[in-house]
């Protein structure tokens, strides 16, 4: 565990808490992509099956359980409790366009051809593109609430910090996981445009809106 | 490491 990894995890945790807080306080999930949230639940479920097979630390187990539980709770809020506020018309990205190719790739490019390993690889690839329905939704409506942009910024920061973590681990621990690194870089690149808008607009007190 | 290595990250 290094400082980048810890900050990355905290940023990820913060993102989830911001999202839950936004929904709970406003009693609304407007502007949030249910598709992205379903994909995240799938990511956590397929990656953390190792909860049953290997123990790393109390920290690791606790975080995994929280990520899984919060992702399903988010889906419950969006599709049940606050269903009336869910903006499904603008959430039109097709999940199968991500899940199917990513599933195929996980079968072809993995560290080891074992069920748990393929599922882990699937979750890594899927996580890298799971934000696309949300970004698509923002671009379709042309705007995002400020709280939603804070959520996206925290989520993007998490992946950026993980890249620093991998650089650190490569030099100081001799650790290098090509699959995680490539997917993590792709994931971070997807946020670049958003980071630019966040810094130039939201941090200056303006709402995040896209030019027509 | 890295080839089917232990996945200790979240």
């Amino acid at each position: 565990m290094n400082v980048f990894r810890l900050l990355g995890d905290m940023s990820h945790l913060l993102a989830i808490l911001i999202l839950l807080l936004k929904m709970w306080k406003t009693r609304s999930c407007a502007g949030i992509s249910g598709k992205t949230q379903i994909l995240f639940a799938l990511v956590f479920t397929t990656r953390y099956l190792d909860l049953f097979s290997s123990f790393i630390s109390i920290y690791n187990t606790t975080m995994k359980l929280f990520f899984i539980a919060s992702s399903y709770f988010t889906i419950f809020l969006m599709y049940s409790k606050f269903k009336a506020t869910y903006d499904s018309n603008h959430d039109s990205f097709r999940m199968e366009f991500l899940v199917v190719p990513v599933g195929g790739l996980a079968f072809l490019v993995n560290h080891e051809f074992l069920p748990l390993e393929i599922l882990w690889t699937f979750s890594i690839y899927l996580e890298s593109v799971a934000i696309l329905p949300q970004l698509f939704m923002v671009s379709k409506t042309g705007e995002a609430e400020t709280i939603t942009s804070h959520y996206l910024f925290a989520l993007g920061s998490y992946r950026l910090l993980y890249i620093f973590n991998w650089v650190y681990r490569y030099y100081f621990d001799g650790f290098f996981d090509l699959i995680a690194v490539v997917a993590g870089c792709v994931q971070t690149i997807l946020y670049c445009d958003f980071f630019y808008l966040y810094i130039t607009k939201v941090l200056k007190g303006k709402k995040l809106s896209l030019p027509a | 490491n890295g080839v089917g290595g232990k996945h200790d990250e979240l």
Side-chain angles (χ1 to χ4, degrees), chain A residues 47-48 56 60 111 117 165-166 169 176, chain B:
Chain A
R47 186 175 311 166
Y48 298 155
I56 292 156
N60 197 281
H111 291 310
E117 190 62 28
N165 156 58
W166 291 321
R169 292 190 78 178
F176 181 68
Chain B
N1 208 326
V3 183
K6 198 175 171 190
H7 304 309
D8 61 353
E9 291 177 344
L10 290 168

Side-chain angles (χ1 to χ4, degrees), chain A:
Chain A
M1 176 68 83
N2 58 65
V3 65
F4 302 114
R5 161 81 199 280
L6 185 64
L7 285 174
D9 287 347
M10 289 307 112
S11 184
H12 196 180
L13 194 62
L14 182 69
I16 293 170
L17 293 176
I18 289 174
L19 178 66
L20 289 174
L21 207 66
K22 171 214 142 61
M23 291 193 291
W24 200 254
K25 288 279 174 195
T26 62
R27 319 300 289 172
S28 160
C29 55
I32 302 297
S33 164
K35 306 279 179 67
T36 282
Q37 298 306 320
I38 289 172
L39 293 176
F40 278 144
L42 192 58
V43 164
F44 294 139
T45 308
T46 50
R47 186 175 311 166
Y48 298 155
L49 286 172
D50 67 356
L51 276 169
F52 299 103
S53 66
S54 65
F55 177 80
I56 292 156
S57 64
I58 298 279
Y59 169 83
N60 197 281
T61 302
T62 311
M63 293 290 272
K64 283 175 175 172
L65 291 174
F66 178 78
F67 286 159
I68 293 175
S70 63
S71 68
Y72 283 98
F73 183 59
T74 302
I75 291 174
F76 159 74
L77 291 182
M78 295 196 71
Y79 289 93
S80 178
K81 196 168 174 62
F82 303 139
K83 190 180 170 59
T85 62
Y86 170 47
D87 194 5
S88 61
N89 287 337
H90 288 124
D91 194 12
S92 49
F93 197 98
R94 300 275 293 271
M95 283 188 288
E96 58 270 37
F97 289 169
L98 298 178
V99 174
V100 173
V102 157
L105 192 63
F107 262 92
L108 294 172
V109 185
N110 51 53
H111 291 310
E112 257 181 307
F113 202 77
L114 297 169
L116 217 58
E117 190 62 28
I118 292 169
L119 285 170
W120 177 86
T121 312
F122 170 77
S123 87
I124 292 288
Y125 293 153
L126 187 61
E127 186 189 345
S128 71
V129 292
I131 200 63
L132 286 175
Q134 179 65 61
L135 295 176
F136 181 70
M137 196 170 176
V138 171
S139 73
K140 212 171 170 194
T141 57
E143 58 176 27
E145 283 178 62
T146 300
I147 187 81
T148 305
S149 52
H150 292 328
Y151 163 68
L152 284 169
F153 184 74
L155 210 53
S157 305
Y158 140 66
R159 263 317 184 192
L160 185 62
L161 286 159
Y162 254 69
I163 293 180
F164 296 136
N165 156 58
W166 291 321
V167 172
Y168 181 98
R169 292 190 78 178
Y170 178 76
Y171 283 108
F172 297 102
D173 305 339
F175 173 93
F176 181 68
D177 186 327
L178 187 63
I179 288 178
V181 170
V182 171
C185 289
V186 168
Q187 189 173 348
T188 309
I189 289 166
L190 294 181
Y191 284 90
C192 284
D193 186 42
F194 169 79
F195 279 151
Y196 173 77
L197 289 169
Y198 186 83
I199 291 163
T200 55
K201 293 205 170 181
V202 183
L203 289 185
K204 289 181 180 156
K206 285 182 271 181
K207 189 176 169 155
L208 191 135
S209 59
L210 304 177

